[in-house]
Amino acid sequence: MMEWLLYVSLLIIALAFVILVVSIISTLKSLKQTMNSVSTTVDDLQTQLDGITTESSNLVHKTNDLADDLQRKSDSLNSVFEAAHELGVTFQNMNQSVKRVSDSVSRQADERSEQAAKAVQWGNVAMELWSRWKKTQAKEAAGRTR
């Protein structure tokens, strides 16, 4: 009877060991599938990361090109603004020159108009004297003929 108990115990231990081995094999298969899935996911992530790295690199190059282009255009605009400023200074100088010439012409015209007015006055005085002298001459001539 003791033997029989020993055989049953060995059978139970063997069955437990078989169940344990089957359970470990099942767990290991499941773990293998999970690891394969993780490996596939990591490969996909690596591929996506490579794509993102390439796109980021292209974006950095395009950004640098854009910054260089913007700098060149900014430098070009600076020269345009400098030219516009110089043109404004030139116009100011020209306006000042025209104002000086205009003031000079106006001043000379005023001086000459005063001289012309004096000449006209002297001319009127001379004409008046001439007219009086003529009248006096005419009266004297009329007085002699009578």
Side-chain angles (χ1 to χ4, degrees), residues 50-128:
D50 289 343
I52 290 172
T53 302
T54 303
E55 289 297 320
S56 296
S57 179
N58 290 340
L59 183 61
V60 166
H61 289 300
K62 287 179 182 179
T63 302
N64 288 340
D65 291 344
L66 182 61
D68 290 342
D69 185 45
L70 196 60
Q71 184 63 43
R72 283 192 304 276
K73 288 179 180 177
S74 175
D75 292 343
S76 297
L77 280 178
N78 285 343
S79 63
V80 168
F81 286 129
E82 286 177 20
H85 175 71
E86 290 174 7
L87 184 62
V89 169
T90 301
F91 278 131
Q92 283 179 338
N93 291 340
M94 188 176 71
N95 284 343
Q96 289 173 353
S97 296
V98 167
K99 187 176 185 300
R100 281 193 301 268
V101 168
S102 174
D103 290 345
S104 175
V105 167
S106 177
R107 191 173 44 254
Q108 288 177 0
D110 287 345
E111 289 173 3
R112 289 187 179 158
S113 68
E114 289 176 18
Q115 291 173 355
K118 287 180 183 178
V120 167
Q121 285 177 347
W122 283 109
N124 286 340
V125 169
M127 293 286 280
E128 182 71 29

Side-chain angles (χ1 to χ4, degrees), residues 19-62:
I19 291 174
L20 178 65
V21 168
V22 169
S23 171
I24 289 174
I25 289 173
S26 174
T27 302
L28 288 175
K29 282 183 179 181
S30 176
L31 183 61
K32 181 181 177 186
Q33 288 176 350
T34 303
M35 292 304 284
N36 286 339
S37 176
V38 167
S39 176
T40 303
T41 302
V42 168
D43 289 343
D44 289 345
L45 285 175
Q46 183 64 39
T47 304
Q48 289 178 0
L49 187 59
D50 289 343
I52 290 172
T53 302
T54 303
E55 289 297 320
S56 296
S57 179
N58 290 340
L59 183 61
V60 166
H61 289 300
K62 287 179 182 179

Side-chain angles (χ1 to χ4, degrees), residues 6-21:
L6 182 66
Y7 288 125
V8 171
S9 311
L10 283 176
L11 182 66
I12 291 176
I13 291 174
L15 280 175
F17 185 72
V18 168
I19 291 174
L20 178 65
V21 168

